[in-house]
Amino acid sequence: MNKESLIRDLKKLGVKPGDLLYIKASMRSIGKVDGGVEAFIEAVLDVIGKEGTLVVSSFVKVYPLSYLKKHPEIVNDLNTHSYAGAVANVIMKMPDVVFSRHPVQKFAAIGRQAEELMLAHTENSYAYDPLRRMSEIGGKGLILGKDVIGVGTTHVAVGLLGYQQKRPKVGVRFKNDNGEVKIFSLDWAGMCSTSIYNMVPEYARVPGAVISEAKVGNADTKLTDMKKTLEIELDLLGNDQKYMDCGDKNCFQCQLSWDFSKGSPWTYFFRNLIHFNKKNLKQFLNAYIKGSKQPKEPLKDLRFMGKSYHKPQG
């Protein structure tokens, strides 16, 4: 396939000039493209045109705070490699890219609304705030590949609802726009990937949440309405916490991290000790015993469409 065939596929899916798109893409699912990742990105930009905007996650690796103190040479900046995949790392090198200023959950954007969305996202912002803003102003999710988790708005709902959880003390050392070097500690809650994946059927129950579905290249692709998917998640996660439990008894996040988690710490510990699961034991020690509760208090003031959704836990 080539750039022209991808353009045809995107138009058939319903991508239009002027669209504000958040892209989550698996190039493996799309298949071999003449011109590679660059050709795919150019196809999207050609379809949305100069009035459109493309946004991707460009998140970076975090480290235990104790490790950072021993390794002062580790300093992130806007050019730090992202683990978010090939599309993100190619976009990060493009001349017209605008980065958000969050030290960890960094986003990158190209297009008319790039500066508006990116420059306000700093160390003092909620980690996923650009996606909250996109949901308010007509953003759409372009989700390419069955193996891509979620539709992009789930963690926005978690933040709006003010959920807290036990997390390891991790973060990054980063250099801000003023050249100051600081340490930033992770300060938000997050669901496990399986729980997020388990919510996928719920979007199909609300008309218009999934705008369309088609193949782009070889990838099963969804075009979603971010406002509607976020509204679905706020309703589900705000009224029934079962959606925040993947059902795996060895999943620390679901079994033990939330205030409302029903798992027994000692049952979890001894189960993994008997099976000598080093990964789970280490996570239990770092998060449940030595960790801290997230998020920080100011994040409770988040609003969506002018409304507060924060719910006291218990």
Side-chain angles (χ1 to χ4, degrees):
M1 76 194 74
N2 54 29
K3 174 181 168 182
E4 287 70 31
S5 67
L6 291 173
I7 288 174
R8 289 194 296 271
D9 290 348
L10 289 164
K11 288 181 176 179
K12 184 177 179 181
L13 179 70
V15 178
K16 300 175 181 178
D19 272 351
L20 170 59
L21 294 179
Y22 174 57
I23 297 179
K24 291 168 68 73
S26 164
M27 289 304 300
R28 182 183 301 175
S29 296
I30 294 170
K32 186 176 180 179
V33 180
D34 294 341
V37 180
E38 291 85 353
F40 166 71
I41 296 167
E42 288 172 6
V44 176
L45 290 173
D46 281 0
V47 175
I48 64 177
K50 292 183 179 179
E51 292 299 303
T53 306
L54 175 161
V55 179
V56 294
S57 304
S58 54
F59 306 156
V60 298
K61 180 181 178 181
V62 295
Y63 302 86
L65 297 186
S66 57
Y67 183 83
L68 286 177
K69 291 175 181 178
K70 297 176 182 177
H71 294 272
E73 74 280 5
I74 300 176
V75 181
N76 287 357
D77 59 23
L78 293 182
N79 297 311
T80 300
H81 182 83
S82 172
Y83 65 76
V87 173
N89 282 290
V90 170
I91 287 175
M92 288 169 66
K93 296 176 183 177
M94 296 182 74
D96 297 329
V97 68
V98 181
F99 292 105
S100 73
R101 265 48 181 179
H102 194 279
V104 177
Q105 302 302 86
K106 185 173 60 176
F107 290 84
I110 296 174
R112 184 175 65 85
Q113 294 170 282
E115 289 193 357
E116 170 193 348
L117 289 165
M118 297 294 103
L119 298 186
H121 188 226
T122 70
E123 63 195 276
N124 299 314
S125 306
Y126 176 55
Y128 296 90
D129 210 48
L131 303 182
R132 179 188 65 85
R133 286 287 297 120
M134 289 181 69
S135 302
E136 293 182 320
I137 59 175
K140 299 175 182 177
L142 182 62
I143 317 300
L144 300 104
K146 283 186 177 180
D147 56 338
V148 173
I149 303 299
V151 294
T153 50
T154 313
H155 283 125
V156 181
V158 172
L160 285 163
L161 291 164
Y163 283 123
Q164 300 181 37
Q165 67 182 163
K166 281 278 193 178
R167 298 294 293 265
K169 294 179 180 179
V170 295
V172 297
R173 183 182 289 105
F174 74 104
K175 182 182 291 186
N176 64 20
D177 287 351
N178 297 322
E180 300 169 311
V181 176
K182 300 180 178 180
I183 287 182
F184 177 86
S185 179
L186 183 148
D187 65 352
W188 62 92
M191 291 170 58
C192 85
S193 58
T194 302
S195 292
I196 294 173
Y197 187 81
N198 288 344
M199 294 181 64
V200 169
E202 300 296 337
Y203 306 116
R205 304 182 196 279
V206 177
V210 177
I211 299 168
S212 60
E213 295 184 82
K215 291 276 189 181
V216 172
N218 297 325
D220 293 310
T221 304
K222 295 186 183 72
L223 185 67
T224 66
D225 182 320
M226 293 177 70
K227 180 175 182 289
K228 290 187 177 181
T229 60
L230 179 52
E231 288 173 340
I232 291 167
E233 291 157 348
L234 286 167
D235 179 58
L236 294 176
L237 301 180
N239 292 298
D240 194 340
Q241 291 155 351
K242 73 178 184 181
Y243 290 97
M244 303 177 81
D245 183 351
C246 69
D248 181 355
K249 298 302 181 183
N250 282 323
C251 176
F252 174 84
Q253 278 184 285
C254 294
Q255 293 299 309
L256 295 177
S257 72
W258 307 105
D259 284 352
F260 49 82
S261 294
K262 296 180 180 179
S264 163
W266 297 116
T267 299
Y268 181 93
F269 174 77
F270 284 115
R271 180 191 300 119
N272 285 283
L273 183 63
I274 290 170
H275 295 286
F276 200 54
N277 189 318
K278 291 183 179 180
K279 179 181 177 181
N280 287 351
L281 290 170
K282 184 176 180 179
Q283 188 174 34
F284 175 83
L285 174 64
N286 289 337
Y288 198 84
I289 304 299
K290 298 164 59 177
S292 57
K293 185 175 287 187
Q294 315 293 349
K296 296 176 181 176
E297 289 298 314
L299 299 184
K300 293 181 180 178
D301 296 331
L302 285 174
R303 290 176 176 268
F304 172 56
M305 304 301 290
K307 181 179 176 182
S308 174
Y309 285 82
H310 175 66
K311 293 170 65 87
Q313 295 185 61

